[in-house]
Amino acid sequence: MGLEIVLNDITEGAKADVRRINEEAESASELIIGEARQASKEALGSRLAEVEEKLEQQRQQVLSSANLEVRRIALNKRKTLLDQVYDQALEQIKELPADKNEEYLKVLIEANEKDGHRIYSNKESEKIVKKLSSLEYGGNIDCIGGIVIESEDGTIRLDFTYDLIVKNTYDKSLKSISDILNG
């Protein structure tokens, strides 16, 4: 029986060693699996954060592009509107009644005649200008109305054409008009 006891002790010791090794292996495997899960979660979280950051950047770029496009469209609409107003002003001046045109020409001539020797106008205003001015009539110019007064030697020309008056007024007022349209 002595041999059976020794054999039994060895078997029991071996079983205990197997249980201990299995428990250690189980514990090590759980630790490795836990670490792997944690690393996987961290990697997934990091990747997710990168993707979210890229999406936010793309969203910002799309918003910026859309805002620029809206501004461009709004500026084009305002420019179109301003051009229409400018063109309408010129059309209304072209359609001035003869008595109003004569009245405006009289004011321009009286205020500036002393500075010149010759006077020019468009074909439609020639008779009126000749009647109102004591200056030599220099001929017709291409404009919607108004006058040009020239010095005797031709070196100085004062342009009081309606075209230029409207353009100068428009250019001077453009900033304030734009401010009004922009709110």
Side-chain angles (χ1 to χ4, degrees):
M1 279 237 226
L3 195 51
E4 274 184 31
I5 294 175
V6 172
L7 193 55
N8 208 11
D9 283 346
I10 292 174
T11 303
E12 288 299 319
K15 285 181 181 177
D17 284 345
V18 167
R19 277 193 301 269
R20 184 184 49 78
I21 290 171
N22 279 341
E23 287 172 3
E24 287 176 3
E26 179 88 19
S27 177
S29 123
E30 286 177 12
L31 183 63
I32 291 170
I33 289 172
E35 288 174 354
R37 282 186 180 145
Q38 184 62 31
S40 173
K41 284 181 184 177
E42 289 173 4
L44 182 61
S46 174
R47 182 69 181 134
L48 185 59
E50 287 177 19
V51 168
E52 286 176 350
E53 186 177 326
K54 285 182 181 178
L55 283 174
E56 182 60 24
Q57 287 174 349
Q58 287 178 345
R59 187 181 78 79
Q60 288 297 331
Q61 287 175 343
V62 167
L63 283 175
S64 294
S65 294
N67 284 335
L68 285 174
E69 183 65 15
V70 166
R71 284 186 189 138
R72 186 188 64 76
I73 290 169
L75 286 173
N76 286 342
K77 290 289 184 191
R78 287 184 188 119
K79 173 77 169 96
T80 301
L81 178 63
L82 290 173
D83 288 346
Q84 287 174 348
V85 169
Y86 181 82
D87 292 343
Q88 286 175 355
L90 291 178
E91 283 303 314
Q92 286 180 351
I93 290 171
K94 284 180 189 176
E95 296 170 4
L96 274 176
D99 60 328
K100 282 291 183 190
N101 185 37
E102 184 172 342
E103 183 181 324
Y104 295 150
L105 289 171
K106 181 178 180 181
V107 169
L108 286 173
I109 291 169
E110 286 176 357
N112 298 289
E113 189 173 47
K114 65 187 176 309
D115 298 325
H117 180 73
R118 268 181 297 287
I119 192 165
Y120 300 85
S121 70
N122 66 9
K123 181 72 175 159
E124 294 79 22
S125 300
E126 181 177 346
K127 287 181 184 175
I128 298 169
V129 170
K130 284 180 176 178
K131 177 178 93 174
L132 295 174
S133 177
S134 62
L135 299 178
E136 172 187 327
Y137 190 78
N140 298 132
I141 54 173
D142 184 27
C143 65
I144 61 172
I147 57 171
V148 172
I149 297 177
E150 185 177 67
S151 65
E152 187 171 356
D153 60 2
T155 57
I156 299 174
R157 287 181 67 112
L158 303 174
D159 189 337
F160 298 104
T161 57
Y162 299 157
D163 313 60
L164 187 63
I165 293 169
V166 170
K167 183 181 179 330
N168 287 341
T169 303
Y170 176 80
D171 290 345
K172 286 178 187 175
S173 303
L174 193 56
K175 170 88 171 90
S176 60
I177 292 169
S178 181
D179 289 345
I180 290 168
L181 289 176
N182 290 330

